[in-house]
Amino acid sequence: MTQINENYLKLKAGYLFPEIGRRVKAYSDANQSAKIIRLGIGDVTLPLAPTIVNAMVDAAKEMGSSAGFHGYGPEQGYSFLIQKIIAHDYTARGVQIAEDEVFVSDGSKCDCGNIQEIFSLDSKIAVVDPVYPVYVDTNVMAGRTGEVGSDGRYANIIYMPATEENNFEPDFPKEKPDIIYLCYPNNPTGMVATKARLTEWVNFAKKIGSIILYDSAYESFIQDPEIPKSIYEIPGAKEVAMEFRSFSKTAGFTGTRCAYLVIPKDLKGKTKTGEEISFNSLWNRRHTTKFNGVSYVTQKGAEAVFSAQGQVEIKEQISYYMQNAKLIREGLATAGYTVFGGTNAPYIWLKTPRGLKSWEFFDELLGKAQVVGTPGSGFGPAGEGYFRLSAFGKREDVISAIERIQKM
């Protein structure tokens, strides 16, 4: 009989969000009249902006003509989109990025999960705890970790706790990692990294010879002009970091699927014999082998995000979600909860009341208020005793949810 990849058996019972779905379904089946408000999974609720829709409609019409039809496109992405990405996200910030350093994909989740393939299985990873589960789970699947311990941590992973005690700013690991996963604005805590702190991370990675995998999927929600939106705003970062970006939350592409990964050609690793190899070339080989590119229609929609009118429309949507975040944060504070985040990110991270465990609070919130959030422990052991609420709901649902919570 064919053998399985036994690394999958190391994974905990189930991926976090399907487990939430299972519990909500069980409650809903038993309480069919209940109106459940979902502020758990970070899925957007506003429709695509009109300028984006129009661009996609026009592109679809092109595809219906002989002259405008597009078959396989460049796996790395069409130049018309990459040029807009570079101009808007990098050149405008004084950062020089070449076209062949940008790879368009179908989502940052996919990129964050797949990127580990170009690193040696002997590579040791460091993650902030709590952490976006994909960073850990995909390394477990690949065989880069040991078994999970009784404390919820996998052997051979360096965990960097981020809690209220250290203001959710993890210390540098004492053990040397080969790969450091950073996410700012952070999912799930909603915290951000200052330019000074990011500079320290870049200098640390340079000193010890590590690579930073920088997930900036929520950069468009940063309100403070002093907070960097790209790690490449830090001198020297192109030598030690690759950056993950997404249209999912920025422009509502969670169901449309489009993202991009920046890997500078200066970013290098080495073989066992000491030969230096560009990670850009490795990812390009992986990307062109396993991926046929994002559809032309989708990329034309993504291009429209960078138009003058597209920017106006998506900024209105971001403002809508950030107003939701403000309502949640202030409403919870009024109810006596200790809250974090929600000022430069669409996530609010709260301390569970009365010493409740994260899943205990999940069940209480669902049972008493019919509101769904995300248990902090699902993001890692340091998330125990915390809870995440998302600002991506509809305004009326957000207001109703807070009113319900305040009555608990």
Side-chain angles (χ1 to χ4, degrees):
M1 186 176 289
T2 303
Q3 291 187 326
I4 66 166
N5 178 354
E6 294 191 22
N7 292 306
Y8 279 65
L9 302 181
K10 298 176 187 174
L11 294 167
K12 298 176 202 177
Y15 186 59
L16 172 61
F17 299 110
E19 172 60 17
I20 290 174
R22 186 192 67 78
R23 293 196 185 203
V24 173
K25 184 179 185 304
Y27 179 86
S28 182
D29 289 346
N31 302 271
Q32 295 187 11
S33 62
K35 184 184 183 303
I36 297 173
I37 298 175
R38 301 169 189 267
L39 300 179
I41 295 177
D43 195 1
V44 295
T45 52
L46 294 175
L48 290 174
T51 297
I52 296 171
V53 173
N54 291 337
M56 295 179 75
V57 169
D58 290 343
K61 289 179 179 177
E62 280 187 66
M63 294 287 282
S65 68
S66 295
F69 176 75
H70 289 73
Y72 291 124
E75 293 94 342
Q76 301 89 340
Y78 285 100
S79 183
F80 63 75
L81 175 57
I82 292 175
Q83 288 178 4
K84 292 290 176 61
I85 289 170
I86 291 172
H88 182 272
D89 287 353
Y90 297 104
T91 305
R93 296 191 176 102
V95 177
Q96 299 303 310
I97 297 291
E99 278 197 49
D100 60 358
E101 293 178 321
V102 179
F103 299 86
V104 177
S105 74
D106 58 349
S108 281
K109 179 179 181 179
C110 302
D111 289 341
C112 288
N114 293 329
I115 196 66
Q116 51 80 26
E117 292 184 25
I118 65 174
F119 295 99
S120 164
L121 282 180
D122 295 328
S123 298
K124 193 148 195 174
I125 71 166
V127 297
V128 177
D129 178 18
V131 62
Y132 182 44
V134 172
Y135 307 158
V136 171
D137 289 0
T138 53
N139 279 285
V140 174
M141 293 170 176
R144 202 167 276 114
T145 75
E147 300 288 342
V148 65
S150 58
D151 61 355
R153 294 181 168 91
Y154 286 95
N156 208 42
I157 290 181
I158 301 169
Y159 287 85
M160 302 180 291
T163 63
E164 184 180 8
E165 286 67 36
N166 61 12
N167 198 32
F168 303 97
E169 191 173 275
D171 295 328
F172 298 125
K174 293 181 174 61
E175 186 180 355
K176 178 187 178 300
D178 298 291
I179 303 165
I180 303 168
Y181 286 83
L182 294 179
C183 174
Y184 290 108
N186 186 260
N187 178 15
T189 67
M191 306 300 278
V192 292
T194 64
K195 188 169 186 177
R197 187 57 175 169
L198 272 187
T199 299
E200 291 175 349
W201 275 111
V202 167
N203 291 339
F204 175 77
K206 277 186 174 183
K207 180 180 178 181
I208 66 172
S210 297
I211 296 294
I212 296 173
L213 303 184
Y214 193 74
D215 184 351
S216 61
Y218 299 94
E219 56 83 21
S220 61
F221 293 89
I222 293 174
Q223 309 295 298
D224 185 344
E226 297 300 315
I227 301 297
K229 290 199 168 192
S230 168
I231 196 169
Y232 300 129
E233 295 177 50
I234 309 302
K238 289 168 68 174
E239 300 169 25
V240 295
M242 54 184 74
E243 183 165 270
F244 301 79
R245 291 269 181 124
S246 174
F247 292 96
S248 284
K249 307 308 192 305
T250 299
F253 275 49
T254 52
T256 307
R257 311 307 302 148
C258 194
Y260 46 103
L261 168 59
V262 179
I263 307 182
K265 292 191 286 288
D266 291 341
L267 189 63
K268 296 178 180 179
K270 65 180 181 180
T271 65
K272 290 181 179 178
T273 59
E275 179 186 3
E276 289 192 350
I277 303 292
S278 167
F279 281 113
N280 180 288
S281 65
L282 294 180
W283 182 252
N284 186 62
R285 185 66 172 88
R286 190 266 175 208
H287 199 65
T288 55
T289 299
K290 294 190 174 186
F291 187 60
N292 269 340
V294 176
S295 77
Y296 174 75
V297 173
T298 297
Q299 291 192 59
K300 290 300 287 186
E303 180 193 25
V305 169
F306 299 109
S307 68
Q309 184 58 29
Q311 283 292 294
V312 169
E313 291 168 1
I314 67 166
K315 285 177 180 176
E316 287 177 353
Q317 294 191 343
I318 290 168
S319 177
Y320 178 94
Y321 291 132
M322 290 309 296
Q323 179 62 25
N324 281 353
K326 181 180 180 181
L327 290 171
I328 295 171
R329 189 182 70 251
E330 293 180 354
L332 290 172
T334 299
Y337 289 86
T338 302
V339 293
F340 311 92
T343 56
N344 289 292
Y347 294 123
I348 293 83
W349 190 240
L350 64 103
K351 206 168 185 179
T352 56
R354 307 184 309 281
L356 290 174
K357 299 286 189 181
S358 298
W359 279 106
E360 290 174 342
F361 184 67
F362 174 92
D363 291 333
E364 180 174 291
L365 196 63
L366 179 60
K368 293 185 176 180
Q370 291 76 56
V371 173
V372 177
T374 308
S377 59
F379 296 101
E384 182 61 82
Y386 294 94
F387 202 79
R388 192 192 77 176
L389 289 176
S390 163
F392 289 118
K394 295 179 180 177
R395 179 65 48 77
E396 58 270 25
D397 286 342
V398 167
I399 292 172
S400 180
I402 294 304
E403 289 175 347
R404 294 183 190 183
I405 293 172
Q406 289 175 338
K407 292 177 181 177
M408 283 175 55

